[in-house]
């Protein structure tokens, strides 16, 4: 039974994703589909656009195809959190902007921190060979 599930899931699994950890600052490119209905003719206009959401990964959830990340950012002074399924067809691209040193798997304590207290220690990536 597990082999059948693995075979079906392998069709939908994405291999182009980087290794993501809590504390990473990521830039998520998410495809949004907008529908507009013309009241006179009843025609539906479908538009797609890519929206970029940049924030800190505060949690990883699920396993396999159900893997999700919780990304948090402050937008105009208002905290915003979004959950992104990693293997979704709406996920266009996922970039890692920074990595931070953290000691927890879940960074929910950042919800109660403001300003400087909410900063994480950035790990500097050195030019490594190989």
């Amino acid at each position: 039974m597990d082999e059948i599930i693995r075979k079906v899931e392998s069709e939908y699994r994405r291999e182009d994703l980087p290794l993501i950890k809590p504390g990473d600052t990521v830039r998520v490119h998410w495809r949004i589909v907008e529908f507009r209905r013309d009241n006179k003719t009843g025609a539906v206009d479908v538009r797609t656009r890519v929206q970029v959401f940049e924030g800190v990964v505060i949690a990883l959830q699920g396993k396999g195809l159900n893997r999700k990340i919780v990304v948090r950012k402050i937008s105009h002074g208002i905290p915003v959190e979004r959950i992104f399924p990693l293997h979704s067809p709406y996920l266009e691209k996922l970039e890692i902007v920074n990595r931070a040193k953290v000691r927890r798997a879940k960074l929910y304590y950042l919800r109660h921190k403001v300003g400087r207290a909410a900063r994480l220690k950035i790990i500097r990536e050195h030019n490594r060979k190989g």
Side-chain angles (χ1 to χ4, degrees), residues 36-128:
R36 291 185 184 169
R37 179 180 297 274
D38 188 6
N39 291 335
K40 293 180 181 178
T41 62
V44 178
D45 183 28
V46 180
R47 294 181 182 179
T48 60
R49 64 186 176 89
V50 175
Q51 187 177 44
V52 179
F53 191 91
E54 183 174 339
V56 177
V57 176
I58 62 169
L60 296 170
Q61 300 172 343
K63 279 187 169 183
L65 285 182
N66 297 326
R67 191 76 161 163
K68 297 179 279 283
I69 57 172
V70 180
V71 183
R72 177 181 174 85
K73 75 172 183 176
I74 306 295
S75 178
H76 301 288
I78 299 171
V80 179
E81 286 185 13
R82 283 193 65 183
I83 300 172
F84 295 102
L86 288 180
H87 297 283
S88 172
Y90 291 105
L91 182 65
E92 290 287 321
K93 186 167 57 166
L94 187 64
E95 302 173 51
I96 297 177
V97 179
N98 285 328
R99 291 196 184 273
K101 179 182 177 185
V102 294
R103 294 178 158 193
R104 303 278 180 272
K106 309 288 188 202
L107 305 179
Y108 296 136
Y109 67 89
L110 290 177
R111 292 174 176 165
H112 307 291
K113 303 283 185 182
V114 179
R116 273 187 88 175
R119 286 192 306 178
L120 299 172
K121 184 161 175 79
I122 301 297
I123 299 173
R124 298 187 188 252
E125 296 285 332
H126 297 289
N127 294 334
R128 292 187 222 154

Side-chain angles (χ1 to χ4, degrees), residues 16-43:
D16 60 336
L17 300 174
L19 180 65
I20 300 169
K21 298 176 182 177
D24 291 351
T25 302
V26 294
R27 191 175 293 134
V28 181
H29 297 260
W30 192 258
R31 187 178 340 123
I32 294 178
V33 181
E34 296 175 340
F35 297 94
R36 291 185 184 169
R37 179 180 297 274
D38 188 6
N39 291 335
K40 293 180 181 178
T41 62

